Amino acid sequence: MTPGRAPAALVPTMPHLLAGDPAPSWAELAAATRTVGDRLRAAGVDTVLLLSTQWFTVLGHQVQCDERLRGRRTDENWYAYDYGHLDHDLAIDTELAHSWADAIDAAGMQARRTRYEGFPVDTGTVVAARLLDPDGRGRWAQVSCNLYADPAAMAAVAAAGVRAAQGLGRRPGIVAVSGLSSGLTPRWIRPAEDRVEPEHDRWNRKVLDAIRAGDRGAVLAMREEFADAAQADSQFRAFAFLDGSGAVDRPGEVLAYGPVWGTGAAVVWWGGSGGRGESTERES
Amino acid sequence: MARVFHATAGSGRSAARRAPGTEPAPAPAPRSASRGGIVAGYLAPHPPHLVYAENPPQNEPRSTGGWEVLRWGYEELRRRLRAHRPDVLIVHAPHWITMVGHHVNCVPNPRGVSVEPIFPHLFRYHYDFRTDVDLAEAIVEEGSRAGLVTSAMREDGVRVDYATIGALHLANPDWDLPVVSLSANNNPYFYSDASLTEMETLGAATRRAVERTGRRAVLLASNSLSHLHWDTEPDLPEDMGVERPFTHAQYAGDMELLQTIREGPTSRLKAAVPKHIEATSSETKAGSLTWLLAAMGWPAIAGDVLAYGTVIATGNAVVEWVAP
Ligand SMILES: [Fe+2]
């Protein structure tokens, strides 16, 4: 492969992005996620290394090793809406998945190879896959989000994924599926009513400003405070994962930011370098 | 601390506890046999390890056992539950996570395979049970009348979670009783803890629904206690050589709560449960135990602790409260 930094992205978890009648913010977030998919293809990415905070686990680091994740997800909360019923069909790069699991073990952590018929693919993964890869031609390697492990471990897991991809000559893209603030509006609302509460909004913007500035140290330093002040999704482990891949030590391009049922969601793109057919990063 | 009320520890039946199969289940009291209402409640923790260890035909993985003391506690629970002759089991479980409101499963015959995303190597359970739809709908109505956001879930495709199945299987492995399953309106991992005040409202609504429909109900609160645990697993999941409390403080926190439970009355738990959550990150923060006690009307009785043990370091107790 051509050596260089992998392109990376942060995309939202919530299924509202697939609503037939979306709020303006949901539509913008969905369009931005599709843009990320276009850019990943343009960058010549072979396999996306995916972390979804909605596949949260507590023991070791689960790596999806089933070659095909085909089925229908009925969301246990959003089933009354069109976006609560999601068909999915993901092709897993099993060679890379096994290699990633081996690399996790070799780094002194515990990988857990997951291959079970009927395994419930999480809503965040399905939403991201449908928007990033609408034609279903992409390949994925996926690891779970261990909520009991130190965030530094998530960074080490991502680094292991990048090493595994390089070892196989794959050009990886790195995608973390996670929200920002998670203060959900605790009632049924109309899409037009959707907004992030001011304190959470202030925190989300502060984090996104640091991301725009390419100040990964600042983002990592404020992660815990962000988690406490704005109930950050999974204590914003997603950023630790992205950081471990080495992909976010440069300015991130915030393609969209807005509310999804009171939570904060953003689409952020970090262009890579040195890949096949790499596109030039656009100014936001 | 001055105690203003003292209740006898344990129920009358605890003294007669025996291994299953060595004696018939105790006969229910004639007075209560014909009576509707909530007749008993159980703290019924759901670690999938307990189902895995039992090797029931519904669960695909096979084990060599483990966590026996907790499972013996459940065997005693089963004998006692049967003696209460309930019409229905109502379970509140923390892993049917609903972000908006309290949902009640109104699917008449939930069926499927529940592959647990966190413990898929331990729990791939084929479930097939009946819902008491009239009671389920009554709980939705009463909850909503009390000002709660409630929903009647009627979608076949929603997978039943392991905390619901685990408590129900462990309490009644024959699945020969109708069920009502309630969701947890919180996320124990990152959204929020349950509002315990709201869980009291839901409990009271559950009680009104049971009384309105004339059911004889047993409640299951599907919660573990202290909830810090390991983040890796031994090669043999049931390796009891490594099973122990996470810390002494976690164990001591559980014992303090269980002592309060054993002494009674349950009203002391209104203060003890939040304190225990603070001290041990107890899974009761999902609200199931508060819901159960509120539904029983915070009776002036003691609970009977049938077993305690740790599972991947979390504390778990099987407890019975018999309605006075
Ligand atoms: Fe649990």
Side-chain angles (χ1 to χ4, degrees):
Chain A
M1 72 173 270
T2 314
R5 292 187 298 196
L10 173 73
V11 301
T13 64
M14 297 282 269
H16 306 67
L17 273 61
L18 297 171
D21 181 20
S25 133
W26 309 351
E28 282 166 29
L29 290 160
T33 307
R34 287 191 193 95
T35 298
V36 166
D38 294 340
R39 292 185 183 186
L40 289 169
R41 280 183 292 280
V45 162
D46 298 311
T47 300
V48 169
L49 303 182
L50 188 78
L51 170 88
S52 167
T53 59
Q54 293 295 301
W55 182 16
F56 49 83
T57 59
V58 297
L59 291 176
H61 303 280
Q62 286 175 229
V63 180
Q64 183 56 259
C65 292
D66 196 345
E67 64 196 25
R68 200 97 207 178
L69 301 175
R70 191 180 285 138
R72 166 169 269 223
R73 165 91 179 154
T74 307
D75 189 277
E76 60 272 26
N77 184 76
W78 305 110
Y79 53 79
Y81 297 92
D82 56 345
Y83 49 81
H85 301 263
L86 304 172
D87 292 322
H88 58 80
D89 186 3
L90 281 78
I92 298 297
D93 182 343
T94 53
E95 189 185 18
L96 177 50
H98 282 283
S99 184
W100 192 356
D102 293 344
I104 289 169
D105 284 334
M109 297 175 288
Q110 186 178 56
R112 305 168 66 77
R113 293 151 186 84
T114 300
R115 185 180 183 185
Y116 300 103
E117 195 180 331
F119 185 87
V121 180
D122 66 280
T123 294
T125 294
V126 177
V127 172
R130 295 226 337 214
L131 291 168
L132 293 171
D133 181 31
D135 298 329
R137 296 205 191 111
R139 285 194 301 173
W140 310 86
Q142 186 181 14
V143 72
S144 68
C145 182
N146 184 326
L147 295 178
Y148 282 67
D150 192 298
M154 296 314 302
V157 165
V162 172
R163 280 198 303 280
Q166 286 169 345
L168 293 171
R170 301 276 201 283
R171 176 158 174 77
I174 319 295
V175 173
V177 186
S178 171
L180 300 176
S181 63
S182 72
L184 195 97
T185 306
R187 59 193 168 80
W188 304 112
I189 59 172
R190 293 190 313 278
E193 296 175 68
D194 201 354
R195 59 188 48 84
V196 180
E197 67 153 89
E199 179 62 9
H200 288 188
D201 183 54
R202 194 180 70 75
W203 263 103
N204 292 334
R205 291 178 187 279
K206 187 174 165 182
V207 168
L208 291 173
D209 283 347
I211 285 174
R212 268 196 202 93
D215 193 348
R216 55 173 280 281
V219 178
L220 291 169
M222 71 174 84
R223 196 189 58 78
E224 276 191 44
E225 208 186 338
F226 176 42
D228 287 345
Q231 294 172 240
D233 183 343
S234 306
Q235 294 85 43
F236 209 33
R237 279 174 166 76
F239 192 83
F241 177 83
L242 290 167
D243 184 57
S245 76
V248 296
D249 58 348
R250 65 203 108 137
E253 182 186 357
V254 179
L255 296 171
Y257 164 69
V260 182
W261 216 279
T263 69
V267 177
V268 184
W269 168 257
W270 290 266
S273 64
R276 298 184 292 267
E278 178 68 359
S279 62
T280 317
E281 190 177 337
R282 261 188 356 202
E283 287 301 308
S284 57
Chain B
M1 178 177 81
R3 199 179 306 141
V4 294
F5 184 92
H6 179 79
T8 308
S11 75
R13 277 196 288 275
S14 61
R17 195 178 307 161
R18 297 285 188 280
T22 59
E23 65 170 337
R31 182 183 64 81
S32 59
S34 58
R35 189 185 63 177
I38 295 167
V39 292
Y42 294 94
L43 180 61
H46 57 255
H49 307 70
L50 301 181
V51 174
Y52 162 74
E54 199 178 283
N55 290 315
Q58 298 100 324
N59 198 33
E60 291 178 10
R62 294 293 100 184
S63 78
T64 61
W67 302 281
E68 276 74 8
V69 175
L70 274 169
R71 294 195 287 120
W72 294 337
Y74 262 113
E75 287 178 1
E76 176 63 14
L77 181 158
R78 291 170 190 171
R79 290 178 60 255
R80 295 184 181 202
L81 188 150
R82 209 137 277 288
H84 292 305
R85 299 194 177 147
D87 301 321
V88 60
L89 300 177
I90 312 177
V91 59
H92 186 278
H95 300 309
W96 176 14
I97 297 166
T98 53
M99 301 180 186
V100 182
H102 305 271
H103 299 222
V104 184
N105 191 333
C106 293
V107 176
N109 177 202
R111 245 176 315 185
V113 185
S114 188
V115 177
E116 167 46 42
I118 298 179
F119 304 102
H121 59 308
L122 304 181
F123 196 87
R124 303 191 299 279
Y125 192 98
H126 295 249
Y127 62 93
D128 181 352
F129 62 90
R130 283 173 301 131
T131 297
D132 183 338
V133 177
D134 289 345
L135 176 58
E137 289 173 343
I139 294 173
V140 173
E141 282 166 26
E142 291 293 343
S144 152
R145 200 169 291 158
L148 300 175
V149 176
T150 56
S151 293
M153 197 282 283
R154 302 183 194 279
E155 293 289 340
D156 273 330
V158 172
R159 176 180 61 90
V160 178
D161 65 283
Y162 75 92
T164 299
I165 294 172
L168 287 167
H169 171 92
L170 290 161
N172 180 32
D174 294 337
W175 293 91
D176 56 355
L177 292 166
V179 165
V180 175
S181 145
L182 280 64
S183 78
N185 173 213
N186 65 92
N187 190 319
Y189 297 104
F190 56 87
Y191 281 102
S192 61
D193 296 348
S195 151
L196 295 185
T197 311
E198 207 163 283
M199 295 311 295
E200 289 203 48
T201 307
L202 183 65
T206 302
R207 181 186 186 87
R208 284 194 299 278
V210 168
E211 288 169 353
R212 199 178 100 193
T213 53
R215 298 296 194 274
R216 191 175 163 81
V218 164
L219 308 186
L220 304 174
S222 177
N223 279 165
S224 293
L225 297 180
S226 62
H227 215 238
L228 298 184
H229 60 70
W230 317 129
D231 61 16
T232 57
E233 185 180 66
D235 290 338
L236 181 71
E238 61 269 39
D239 183 348
M240 294 295 102
V242 296
E243 186 62 80
R244 61 181 173 82
F246 193 77
T247 60
H248 178 64
Q250 293 271 299
Y251 176 82
D254 284 349
M255 289 309 117
E256 189 180 339
L257 183 83
L258 291 175
Q259 188 59 31
T260 306
I261 286 174
R262 295 178 75 237
E263 289 169 2
T266 60
S267 58
R268 290 175 64 205
L269 294 169
K270 287 187 186 184
V273 166
K275 185 179 168 210
H276 178 247
I277 291 170
E278 189 63 35
T280 68
S281 304
S282 172
E283 201 186 30
T284 56
K285 66 189 172 189
S288 312
L289 178 57
T290 300
W291 160 81
L292 177 145
L293 293 167
M296 294 186 76
W298 299 97
I301 56 170
D304 198 2
V305 178
L306 307 184
Y308 175 84
T310 63
V311 179
I312 61 168
T314 65
N316 294 272
V318 181
V319 180
E320 178 188 56
W321 289 271
V322 179

